């Protein structure tokens, strides 16, 4: 049984790509955390990220390394993440924040009729209650 250097190089390249992909996922979670300031969302996204990272490392080690987590695969994952954050992340975050603002504007435009309809329904409900209230108190 020999060492297949080509398979190891492909495995390393794949782990670099997976590390960069995990960087993308982390940045997307950062945008969600900033744009949706809900209590507890940050912790939930952190747990979700680490679950995704763990499953990704496990599945990649099964696929490429026969189920063995090799040190060069883990280092490749870290190097891919580092390269993402060092080279691309800032520009990606600017673009992602702009896209989040555009999506929020579109949602605002789409939901405005529903908000107005709800306000109108509240006024109609209040207006329709008046005759019943008057009848209940014997007012004509």
């Amino acid at each position: 049984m020999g060492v297949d250097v080509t398979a190891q190089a492909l495995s390393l390249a794949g782990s670099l790509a997976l590390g960069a992909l995990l960087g993308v996922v982390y940045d997307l979670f950062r945008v969600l955390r900033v744009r949706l300031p809900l209590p507890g969302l940050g912790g939930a996204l952190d747990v979700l990220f680490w679950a995704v990272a763990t499953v990704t490392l496990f599945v990649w080690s099964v696929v490429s390394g026969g189920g063995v987590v090799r040190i060069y695969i883990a280092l490749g994952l870290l190097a891919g993440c580092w390269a993402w954050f060092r080279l691309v992340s800032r520009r990606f975050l600017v673009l992602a924040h702009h896209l989040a603002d555009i999506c929020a504007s579109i949602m605002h435009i789409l939901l405005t009729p529903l908000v107005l309809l709800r306000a109108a329904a509240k006024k109609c409900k209040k207006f329709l209650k008046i005759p019943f209230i008057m009848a209940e108190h014997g007012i004509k």
Side-chain angles (χ1 to χ4, degrees):
M1 182 169 161
V3 175
D4 189 5
V5 177
T6 306
Q8 288 181 345
L10 288 173
S11 181
L12 178 63
S15 65
L16 286 167
L18 279 175
L21 184 65
L22 285 174
V24 172
V25 170
Y26 187 79
D27 278 346
L28 289 174
F29 285 174
R30 284 170 60 178
V31 171
L32 280 176
R33 182 179 296 186
V34 170
R35 294 297 185 217
L36 298 174
L38 301 172
L41 182 66
L45 289 175
D46 286 344
V47 169
L48 182 61
F49 173 76
W50 285 111
V52 167
T54 302
V55 168
T56 301
L57 178 61
F58 174 74
V59 169
W60 184 248
S61 67
V62 168
V63 169
S64 70
V68 178
V69 178
R70 304 200 185 273
I71 190 71
Y72 67 89
I73 291 175
L75 291 176
L77 222 90
L78 290 174
C81 256
W82 177 83
W84 170 263
F85 288 119
R86 191 76 181 158
L87 302 173
V88 184
S89 180
R90 286 187 190 132
R91 289 181 216 110
F92 177 80
L93 282 174
V94 169
L95 178 66
H97 282 287
H98 286 307
L99 287 174
D101 290 340
I102 290 169
C103 289
S105 297
I106 290 171
M107 290 299 292
H108 180 72
I109 290 169
L110 293 175
L111 292 177
T112 298
L114 294 175
V115 170
L116 294 174
L117 188 62
R118 181 176 179 217
K122 274 185 166 180
K123 287 190 185 230
C124 285
K125 182 179 175 183
K126 188 176 184 181
F127 179 73
L128 292 173
K129 277 185 177 180
I130 291 173
F132 294 108
I133 293 172
M134 290 173 64
E136 185 178 292
H137 294 293
I139 304 170
K140 289 187 181 187

